mmCIF file of all heavy atoms in Angstrom:
data_model
loop_
_atom_site.group_PDB
_atom_site.id
_atom_site.type_symbol
_atom_site.label_atom_id
_atom_site.label_comp_id
_atom_site.label_asym_id
_atom_site.label_seq_id
_atom_site.Cartn_x
_atom_site.Cartn_y
_atom_site.Cartn_z
ATOM 1 N N THR A 395 30.378 80.255 96.334
ATOM 2 C CA THR A 395 30.367 80.713 97.710
ATOM 3 C C THR A 395 29.029 80.506 98.364
ATOM 4 O O THR A 395 27.956 80.883 97.792
ATOM 5 C CB THR A 395 30.724 82.244 97.750
ATOM 6 O OG1 THR A 395 31.986 82.442 97.133
ATOM 7 C CG2 THR A 395 30.810 82.686 99.216
ATOM 8 N N ASP A 396 29.050 79.913 99.549
ATOM 9 C CA ASP A 396 27.761 79.699 100.285
ATOM 10 C C ASP A 396 27.533 80.930 101.134
ATOM 11 O O ASP A 396 28.318 81.260 102.026
ATOM 12 C CB ASP A 396 27.897 78.475 101.186
ATOM 13 C CG ASP A 396 26.589 78.144 101.875
ATOM 14 O OD1 ASP A 396 25.627 78.949 101.797
ATOM 15 O OD2 ASP A 396 26.526 77.115 102.540
ATOM 16 N N VAL A 397 26.492 81.697 100.807
ATOM 17 C CA VAL A 397 26.190 82.941 101.515
ATOM 18 C C VAL A 397 24.948 82.840 102.374
ATOM 19 O O VAL A 397 24.361 83.848 102.714
ATOM 20 C CB VAL A 397 26.046 84.074 100.459
ATOM 21 C CG1 VAL A 397 27.335 84.302 99.745
ATOM 22 C CG2 VAL A 397 24.919 83.800 99.509
ATOM 23 N N SER A 398 24.591 81.587 102.768
ATOM 24 C CA SER A 398 23.430 81.452 103.563
ATOM 25 C C SER A 398 23.547 82.118 104.918
ATOM 26 O O SER A 398 22.585 82.551 105.515
ATOM 27 C CB SER A 398 23.114 79.986 103.727
ATOM 28 O OG SER A 398 24.205 79.274 104.289
ATOM 29 N N ARG A 399 24.799 82.158 105.410
ATOM 30 C CA ARG A 399 25.020 82.810 106.703
ATOM 31 C C ARG A 399 25.496 84.269 106.583
ATOM 32 O O ARG A 399 25.174 85.095 107.387
ATOM 33 C CB ARG A 399 26.040 81.986 107.548
ATOM 34 C CG ARG A 399 25.594 80.573 107.814
ATOM 35 C CD ARG A 399 26.443 79.894 108.801
ATOM 36 N NE ARG A 399 26.452 80.571 110.110
ATOM 37 C CZ ARG A 399 27.156 80.172 111.182
ATOM 38 N NH1 ARG A 399 27.960 79.127 111.072
ATOM 39 N NH2 ARG A 399 27.069 80.836 112.294
ATOM 40 N N SER A 400 26.353 84.509 105.578
ATOM 41 C CA SER A 400 26.838 85.870 105.363
ATOM 42 C C SER A 400 27.094 86.112 103.876
ATOM 43 O O SER A 400 27.744 85.272 103.212
ATOM 44 C CB SER A 400 28.139 86.073 106.124
ATOM 45 O OG SER A 400 28.704 87.326 105.787
ATOM 46 N N PRO A 401 26.568 87.192 103.336
ATOM 47 C CA PRO A 401 26.803 87.522 101.915
ATOM 48 C C PRO A 401 28.123 88.257 101.689
ATOM 49 O O PRO A 401 28.443 88.639 100.564
ATOM 50 C CB PRO A 401 25.616 88.372 101.581
ATOM 51 C CG PRO A 401 25.338 89.131 102.854
ATOM 52 C CD PRO A 401 25.642 88.158 103.970
ATOM 53 N N VAL A 402 28.958 88.505 102.764
ATOM 54 C CA VAL A 402 30.149 89.292 102.627
ATOM 55 C C VAL A 402 31.323 88.370 102.169
ATOM 56 O O VAL A 402 31.570 87.305 102.750
ATOM 57 C CB VAL A 402 30.506 89.961 103.940
ATOM 58 C CG1 VAL A 402 31.786 90.736 103.815
ATOM 59 C CG2 VAL A 402 29.383 90.882 104.393
ATOM 60 N N ILE A 403 32.042 88.795 101.183
ATOM 61 C CA ILE A 403 33.272 88.162 100.722
ATOM 62 C C ILE A 403 34.366 89.153 100.626
ATOM 63 O O ILE A 403 34.156 90.396 100.759
ATOM 64 C CB ILE A 403 33.090 87.450 99.331
ATOM 65 C CG1 ILE A 403 32.828 88.524 98.225
ATOM 66 C CG2 ILE A 403 31.933 86.430 99.354
ATOM 67 C CD1 ILE A 403 32.908 87.973 96.791
ATOM 68 N N SER A 404 35.630 88.692 100.414
ATOM 69 C CA SER A 404 36.764 89.536 100.269
ATOM 70 C C SER A 404 37.330 89.376 98.837
ATOM 71 O O SER A 404 37.507 88.261 98.378
ATOM 72 C CB SER A 404 37.865 89.244 101.252
ATOM 73 O OG SER A 404 37.458 89.528 102.558
ATOM 74 N N VAL A 405 37.498 90.512 98.157
ATOM 75 C CA VAL A 405 38.126 90.534 96.824
ATOM 76 C C VAL A 405 39.557 90.906 96.975
ATOM 77 O O VAL A 405 39.824 92.040 97.504
ATOM 78 C CB VAL A 405 37.381 91.467 95.855
ATOM 79 C CG1 VAL A 405 37.988 91.397 94.488
ATOM 80 C CG2 VAL A 405 35.870 91.082 95.778
ATOM 81 N N ARG A 406 40.459 90.046 96.623
ATOM 82 C CA ARG A 406 41.891 90.257 96.858
ATOM 83 C C ARG A 406 42.672 90.146 95.537
ATOM 84 O O ARG A 406 42.286 89.335 94.667
ATOM 85 C CB ARG A 406 42.423 89.265 97.862
ATOM 86 C CG ARG A 406 43.895 89.389 98.243
ATOM 87 C CD ARG A 406 44.247 88.462 99.400
ATOM 88 N NE ARG A 406 44.034 87.055 99.034
ATOM 89 C CZ ARG A 406 44.907 86.301 98.397
ATOM 90 N NH1 ARG A 406 46.114 86.801 98.117
ATOM 91 N NH2 ARG A 406 44.638 85.030 98.132
ATOM 92 N N GLY A 407 43.697 90.952 95.387
ATOM 93 C CA GLY A 407 44.494 90.876 94.167
ATOM 94 C C GLY A 407 45.722 91.786 94.223
ATOM 95 O O GLY A 407 46.102 92.288 95.268
ATOM 96 N N ALA A 408 46.330 91.976 93.046
ATOM 97 C CA ALA A 408 47.546 92.802 92.976
ATOM 98 C C ALA A 408 47.562 93.601 91.699
ATOM 99 O O ALA A 408 47.059 93.123 90.623
ATOM 100 C CB ALA A 408 48.791 91.894 93.038
ATOM 101 N N ILE A 409 48.134 94.816 91.783
ATOM 102 C CA ILE A 409 48.249 95.692 90.591
ATOM 103 C C ILE A 409 49.760 96.022 90.412
ATOM 104 O O ILE A 409 50.426 96.431 91.374
ATOM 105 C CB ILE A 409 47.505 97.033 90.778
ATOM 106 C CG1 ILE A 409 46.013 96.770 91.067
ATOM 107 C CG2 ILE A 409 47.669 97.935 89.576
ATOM 108 C CD1 ILE A 409 45.236 97.985 91.394
ATOM 109 N N ARG A 410 50.273 95.755 89.250
ATOM 110 C CA ARG A 410 51.652 96.005 88.922
ATOM 111 C C ARG A 410 51.714 97.127 87.929
ATOM 112 O O ARG A 410 51.143 97.059 86.899
ATOM 113 C CB ARG A 410 52.351 94.756 88.433
ATOM 114 C CG ARG A 410 52.379 93.599 89.405
ATOM 115 C CD ARG A 410 53.032 92.366 88.850
ATOM 116 N NE ARG A 410 53.090 91.281 89.808
ATOM 117 C CZ ARG A 410 52.083 90.442 90.081
ATOM 118 N NH1 ARG A 410 50.924 90.601 89.387
ATOM 119 N NH2 ARG A 410 52.179 89.516 90.958
ATOM 120 N N SER A 411 52.508 98.202 88.342
ATOM 121 C CA SER A 411 52.599 99.363 87.473
ATOM 122 C C SER A 411 53.981 100.044 87.676
ATOM 123 O O SER A 411 54.406 100.172 88.787
ATOM 124 C CB SER A 411 51.451 100.401 87.825
ATOM 125 O OG SER A 411 51.609 101.535 87.056
ATOM 126 N N ARG A 412 54.632 100.395 86.571
ATOM 127 C CA ARG A 412 55.871 101.122 86.665
ATOM 128 C C ARG A 412 55.702 102.547 87.030
ATOM 129 O O ARG A 412 56.563 103.232 87.510
ATOM 130 C CB ARG A 412 56.645 101.002 85.344
ATOM 131 C CG ARG A 412 57.067 99.577 84.952
ATOM 132 C CD ARG A 412 57.791 99.643 83.621
ATOM 133 N NE ARG A 412 58.110 98.314 83.135
ATOM 134 C CZ ARG A 412 58.562 98.018 81.943
ATOM 135 N NH1 ARG A 412 58.709 99.035 81.074
ATOM 136 N NH2 ARG A 412 58.775 96.779 81.556
ATOM 137 N N THR A 413 54.512 103.044 86.744
ATOM 138 C CA THR A 413 54.160 104.474 87.051
ATOM 139 C C THR A 413 53.275 104.475 88.292
ATOM 140 O O THR A 413 52.393 103.617 88.410
ATOM 141 C CB THR A 413 53.446 105.090 85.859
ATOM 142 O OG1 THR A 413 54.223 104.943 84.677
ATOM 143 C CG2 THR A 413 53.228 106.557 86.109
ATOM 144 N N PRO A 414 53.444 105.426 89.201
ATOM 145 C CA PRO A 414 52.599 105.478 90.401
ATOM 146 C C PRO A 414 51.117 105.527 89.996
ATOM 147 O O PRO A 414 50.708 106.154 89.016
ATOM 148 C CB PRO A 414 53.016 106.751 91.131
ATOM 149 C CG PRO A 414 54.440 106.986 90.635
ATOM 150 C CD PRO A 414 54.514 106.452 89.235
ATOM 151 N N LEU A 415 50.281 104.874 90.847
ATOM 152 C CA LEU A 415 48.869 104.809 90.577
ATOM 153 C C LEU A 415 48.141 106.087 91.034
ATOM 154 O O LEU A 415 48.562 106.692 92.019
ATOM 155 C CB LEU A 415 48.230 103.618 91.253
ATOM 156 C CG LEU A 415 48.674 102.212 90.715
ATOM 157 C CD1 LEU A 415 47.974 101.125 91.578
ATOM 158 C CD2 LEU A 415 48.352 102.031 89.283
ATOM 159 N N ARG A 416 47.151 106.487 90.324
ATOM 160 C CA ARG A 416 46.323 107.619 90.680
ATOM 161 C C ARG A 416 45.103 107.153 91.457
ATOM 162 O O ARG A 416 44.711 107.714 92.493
ATOM 163 C CB ARG A 416 45.957 108.465 89.478
ATOM 164 C CG ARG A 416 45.248 109.762 89.829
ATOM 165 C CD ARG A 416 45.067 110.612 88.557
ATOM 166 N NE ARG A 416 44.102 110.014 87.651
ATOM 167 C CZ ARG A 416 43.987 110.370 86.358
ATOM 168 N NH1 ARG A 416 44.764 111.316 85.858
ATOM 169 N NH2 ARG A 416 43.047 109.815 85.614
ATOM 170 N N GLU A 417 44.390 106.123 90.936
ATOM 171 C CA GLU A 417 43.229 105.592 91.638
ATOM 172 C C GLU A 417 42.916 104.227 91.064
ATOM 173 O O GLU A 417 43.361 103.844 89.954
ATOM 174 C CB GLU A 417 42.023 106.521 91.506
ATOM 175 C CG GLU A 417 41.658 106.908 90.101
ATOM 176 C CD GLU A 417 40.521 107.939 90.028
ATOM 177 O OE1 GLU A 417 39.847 108.101 91.052
ATOM 178 O OE2 GLU A 417 40.299 108.518 88.940
ATOM 179 N N ALA A 418 42.122 103.486 91.847
ATOM 180 C CA ALA A 418 41.710 102.124 91.403
ATOM 181 C C ALA A 418 40.243 101.927 91.735
ATOM 182 O O ALA A 418 39.711 102.546 92.689
ATOM 183 C CB ALA A 418 42.560 101.054 92.072
ATOM 184 N N PHE A 419 39.559 101.033 90.955
ATOM 185 C CA PHE A 419 38.133 100.828 91.158
ATOM 186 C C PHE A 419 37.855 99.337 91.159
ATOM 187 O O PHE A 419 38.487 98.535 90.441
ATOM 188 C CB PHE A 419 37.349 101.448 89.955
ATOM 189 C CG PHE A 419 37.504 102.892 89.795
ATOM 190 C CD1 PHE A 419 38.534 103.436 89.024
ATOM 191 C CD2 PHE A 419 36.673 103.800 90.457
ATOM 192 C CE1 PHE A 419 38.706 104.792 88.862
ATOM 193 C CE2 PHE A 419 36.805 105.143 90.288
ATOM 194 C CZ PHE A 419 37.817 105.662 89.536
ATOM 195 N N LEU A 420 36.929 98.935 92.018
ATOM 196 C CA LEU A 420 36.334 97.598 91.967
ATOM 197 C C LEU A 420 34.964 97.734 91.279
ATOM 198 O O LEU A 420 34.121 98.527 91.717
ATOM 199 C CB LEU A 420 36.153 97.038 93.351
ATOM 200 C CG LEU A 420 35.446 95.658 93.450
ATOM 201 C CD1 LEU A 420 36.271 94.585 92.769
ATOM 202 C CD2 LEU A 420 35.163 95.279 94.905
ATOM 203 N N ILE A 421 34.778 97.019 90.193
ATOM 204 C CA ILE A 421 33.548 97.051 89.423
ATOM 205 C C ILE A 421 32.753 95.812 89.695
ATOM 206 O O ILE A 421 33.150 94.675 89.244
ATOM 207 C CB ILE A 421 33.877 97.240 87.916
ATOM 208 C CG1 ILE A 421 34.793 98.432 87.653
ATOM 209 C CG2 ILE A 421 32.566 97.368 87.109
ATOM 210 C CD1 ILE A 421 35.323 98.544 86.247
ATOM 211 N N GLN A 422 31.658 95.943 90.414
ATOM 212 C CA GLN A 422 30.817 94.779 90.744
ATOM 213 C C GLN A 422 29.463 94.942 89.997
ATOM 214 O O GLN A 422 28.770 95.909 90.183
ATOM 215 C CB GLN A 422 30.564 94.712 92.278
ATOM 216 C CG GLN A 422 29.677 93.536 92.662
ATOM 217 C CD GLN A 422 29.436 93.514 94.165
ATOM 218 O OE1 GLN A 422 29.941 94.369 94.901
ATOM 219 N NE2 GLN A 422 28.695 92.472 94.621
ATOM 220 N N ASN A 423 29.225 93.949 89.148
ATOM 221 C CA ASN A 423 28.012 93.964 88.351
ATOM 222 C C ASN A 423 27.828 95.298 87.621
ATOM 223 O O ASN A 423 26.737 95.901 87.597
ATOM 224 C CB ASN A 423 26.765 93.738 89.247
ATOM 225 C CG ASN A 423 26.845 92.389 89.994
ATOM 226 O OD1 ASN A 423 27.553 91.490 89.531
ATOM 227 N ND2 ASN A 423 26.109 92.288 91.112
ATOM 228 N N ASP A 424 28.936 95.789 87.078
ATOM 229 C CA ASP A 424 28.964 97.046 86.278
ATOM 230 C C ASP A 424 28.817 98.267 87.089
ATOM 231 O O ASP A 424 28.603 99.368 86.515
ATOM 232 C CB ASP A 424 27.900 97.059 85.179
ATOM 233 C CG ASP A 424 28.089 95.907 84.132
ATOM 234 O OD1 ASP A 424 29.272 95.618 83.863
ATOM 235 O OD2 ASP A 424 27.117 95.338 83.668
ATOM 236 N N ILE A 425 28.963 98.174 88.450
ATOM 237 C CA ILE A 425 28.852 99.358 89.282
ATOM 238 C C ILE A 425 30.258 99.590 89.911
ATOM 239 O O ILE A 425 30.726 98.739 90.645
ATOM 240 C CB ILE A 425 27.822 99.140 90.414
ATOM 241 C CG1 ILE A 425 26.439 98.886 89.813
ATOM 242 C CG2 ILE A 425 27.786 100.384 91.334
ATOM 243 C CD1 ILE A 425 25.390 98.506 90.831
ATOM 244 N N PRO A 426 30.918 100.697 89.533
ATOM 245 C CA PRO A 426 32.294 100.907 90.016
ATOM 246 C C PRO A 426 32.315 101.666 91.353
ATOM 247 O O PRO A 426 31.416 102.449 91.647
ATOM 248 C CB PRO A 426 32.931 101.757 88.948
ATOM 249 C CG PRO A 426 31.779 102.577 88.386
ATOM 250 C CD PRO A 426 30.582 101.688 88.517
ATOM 251 N N ARG A 427 33.352 101.372 92.138
ATOM 252 C CA ARG A 427 33.588 102.163 93.352
ATOM 253 C C ARG A 427 35.093 102.166 93.616
ATOM 254 O O ARG A 427 35.794 101.215 93.331
ATOM 255 C CB ARG A 427 32.799 101.656 94.559
ATOM 256 C CG ARG A 427 33.203 100.273 95.018
ATOM 257 C CD ARG A 427 32.484 99.981 96.344
ATOM 258 N NE ARG A 427 32.846 98.693 96.917
ATOM 259 C CZ ARG A 427 32.183 97.541 96.760
ATOM 260 N NH1 ARG A 427 31.103 97.560 95.983
ATOM 261 N NH2 ARG A 427 32.584 96.443 97.332
ATOM 262 N N ASN A 428 35.564 103.263 94.230
ATOM 263 C CA ASN A 428 36.990 103.393 94.558
ATOM 264 C C ASN A 428 37.397 102.342 95.580
ATOM 265 O O ASN A 428 36.617 102.025 96.557
ATOM 266 C CB ASN A 428 37.302 104.748 95.127
ATOM 267 C CG ASN A 428 37.156 105.837 94.088
ATOM 268 O OD1 ASN A 428 36.069 106.318 93.821
ATOM 269 N ND2 ASN A 428 38.262 106.205 93.450
ATOM 270 N N ILE A 429 38.657 101.886 95.501
ATOM 271 C CA ILE A 429 39.195 100.996 96.500
ATOM 272 C C ILE A 429 40.626 101.434 96.807
ATOM 273 O O ILE A 429 41.317 101.999 95.933
ATOM 274 C CB ILE A 429 39.231 99.508 96.040
ATOM 275 C CG1 ILE A 429 40.076 99.337 94.744
ATOM 276 C CG2 ILE A 429 37.828 98.999 95.846
ATOM 277 C CD1 ILE A 429 40.280 97.907 94.371
ATOM 278 N N PRO A 430 41.094 101.192 98.042
ATOM 279 C CA PRO A 430 42.493 101.536 98.385
ATOM 280 C C PRO A 430 43.460 100.486 97.897
ATOM 281 O O PRO A 430 43.124 99.290 97.782
ATOM 282 C CB PRO A 430 42.454 101.606 99.925
ATOM 283 C CG PRO A 430 41.376 100.653 100.307
ATOM 284 C CD PRO A 430 40.365 100.750 99.219
ATOM 285 N N VAL A 431 44.675 100.941 97.538
ATOM 286 C CA VAL A 431 45.727 100.031 97.095
ATOM 287 C C VAL A 431 46.948 100.240 97.960
ATOM 288 O O VAL A 431 47.354 101.379 98.233
ATOM 289 C CB VAL A 431 46.096 100.249 95.643
ATOM 290 C CG1 VAL A 431 47.191 99.304 95.162
ATOM 291 C CG2 VAL A 431 44.887 100.103 94.749
ATOM 292 N N ARG A 432 47.524 99.162 98.446
ATOM 293 C CA ARG A 432 48.730 99.296 99.355
ATOM 294 C C ARG A 432 49.922 99.693 98.526
ATOM 295 O O ARG A 432 49.925 99.639 97.304
ATOM 296 C CB ARG A 432 48.939 97.946 100.062
ATOM 297 C CG ARG A 432 47.815 97.411 100.879
ATOM 298 C CD ARG A 432 48.262 96.174 101.670
ATOM 299 N NE ARG A 432 47.139 95.626 102.438
ATOM 300 C CZ ARG A 432 46.457 94.509 102.089
ATOM 301 N NH1 ARG A 432 46.779 93.909 100.932
ATOM 302 N NH2 ARG A 432 45.515 94.059 102.860
ATOM 303 N N GLU A 433 50.991 100.051 99.234
ATOM 304 C CA GLU A 433 52.210 100.520 98.522
ATOM 305 C C GLU A 433 52.811 99.451 97.695
ATOM 306 O O GLU A 433 53.475 99.737 96.683
ATOM 307 C CB GLU A 433 53.245 101.003 99.590
ATOM 308 C CG GLU A 433 52.810 102.293 100.307
ATOM 309 C CD GLU A 433 53.937 102.799 101.194
ATOM 310 O OE1 GLU A 433 55.020 102.148 101.262
ATOM 311 O OE2 GLU A 433 53.757 103.843 101.863
ATOM 312 N N ASP A 434 52.637 98.179 98.076
ATOM 313 C CA ASP A 434 53.208 97.106 97.263
ATOM 314 C C ASP A 434 52.288 96.704 96.105
ATOM 315 O O ASP A 434 52.563 95.713 95.380
ATOM 316 C CB ASP A 434 53.505 95.888 98.108
ATOM 317 C CG ASP A 434 52.198 95.307 98.819
ATOM 318 O OD1 ASP A 434 51.134 95.889 98.574
ATOM 319 O OD2 ASP A 434 52.339 94.283 99.491
ATOM 320 N N GLY A 435 51.194 97.451 95.901
ATOM 321 C CA GLY A 435 50.288 97.164 94.801
ATOM 322 C C GLY A 435 49.189 96.195 95.071
ATOM 323 O O GLY A 435 48.325 95.923 94.191
ATOM 324 N N THR A 436 49.141 95.629 96.251
ATOM 325 C CA THR A 436 48.067 94.657 96.551
ATOM 326 C C THR A 436 46.821 95.370 97.097
ATOM 327 O O THR A 436 46.906 96.498 97.556
ATOM 328 C CB THR A 436 48.523 93.653 97.594
ATOM 329 O OG1 THR A 436 48.895 94.325 98.811
ATOM 330 C CG2 THR A 436 49.760 92.872 97.094
ATOM 331 N N PHE A 437 45.723 94.732 96.977
ATOM 332 C CA PHE A 437 44.471 95.278 97.510
ATOM 333 C C PHE A 437 43.661 94.179 98.144
ATOM 334 O O PHE A 437 43.718 92.983 97.763
ATOM 335 C CB PHE A 437 43.668 95.969 96.428
ATOM 336 C CG PHE A 437 43.303 95.122 95.230
ATOM 337 C CD1 PHE A 437 42.137 94.363 95.260
ATOM 338 C CD2 PHE A 437 44.106 95.038 94.123
ATOM 339 C CE1 PHE A 437 41.750 93.560 94.199
ATOM 340 C CE2 PHE A 437 43.746 94.248 93.049
ATOM 341 C CZ PHE A 437 42.601 93.441 93.098
ATOM 342 N N LEU A 438 42.818 94.536 99.117
ATOM 343 C CA LEU A 438 41.898 93.634 99.781
ATOM 344 C C LEU A 438 40.638 94.442 100.094
ATOM 345 O O LEU A 438 40.657 95.331 100.907
ATOM 346 C CB LEU A 438 42.519 93.058 101.092
ATOM 347 C CG LEU A 438 41.604 92.169 101.918
ATOM 348 C CD1 LEU A 438 41.222 90.914 101.104
ATOM 349 C CD2 LEU A 438 42.292 91.812 103.234
ATOM 350 N N GLN A 439 39.564 94.076 99.417
ATOM 351 C CA GLN A 439 38.327 94.857 99.505
ATOM 352 C C GLN A 439 37.147 93.948 99.853
ATOM 353 O O GLN A 439 36.890 92.962 99.190
ATOM 354 C CB GLN A 439 38.071 95.609 98.222
ATOM 355 C CG GLN A 439 36.852 96.464 98.188
ATOM 356 C CD GLN A 439 36.903 97.583 99.239
ATOM 357 O OE1 GLN A 439 37.957 98.201 99.345
ATOM 358 N NE2 GLN A 439 35.818 97.787 99.961
ATOM 359 N N GLN A 440 36.417 94.302 100.867
ATOM 360 C CA GLN A 440 35.168 93.554 101.236
ATOM 361 C C GLN A 440 34.061 93.977 100.236
ATOM 362 O O GLN A 440 33.970 95.109 99.815
ATOM 363 C CB GLN A 440 34.744 93.863 102.639
ATOM 364 C CG GLN A 440 35.606 93.192 103.707
ATOM 365 C CD GLN A 440 35.088 93.438 105.107
ATOM 366 O OE1 GLN A 440 34.791 94.544 105.424
ATOM 367 N NE2 GLN A 440 34.967 92.363 105.867
ATOM 368 N N ALA A 441 33.245 92.982 99.926
ATOM 369 C CA ALA A 441 32.091 93.222 99.036
ATOM 370 C C ALA A 441 30.966 92.301 99.491
ATOM 371 O O ALA A 441 31.193 91.316 100.225
ATOM 372 C CB ALA A 441 32.466 92.929 97.587
#
């Protein structure tokens, strides 16, 4: 990624679970933080 103009990227993905989720975390460089997850299990988080 070329970040010469902006260091912001989007981390996108999907979580599949038969049991409802309690919470989810994005771990960047070993530093975790909570992220929201949509009802369909997908997530889109800026970093």
Side-chain angles (χ1 to χ4, degrees):
T395 303
D396 186 353
V397 296
S398 57
R399 299 190 63 181
S400 172
V402 179
I403 65 169
S404 294
V405 181
R406 182 173 60 88
I409 302 174
R410 296 176 179 85
S411 177
R412 294 179 187 170
T413 307
L415 294 179
R416 188 172 69 195
E417 55 186 344
F419 300 89
L420 175 64
I421 306 171
Q422 180 181 0
N423 301 338
D424 297 324
I425 301 173
R427 66 173 183 264
N428 292 83
I429 60 172
V431 180
R432 302 187 183 103
E433 291 185 1
D434 62 357
T436 60
F437 59 88
L438 177 62
Q439 181 62 43
Q440 287 184 312

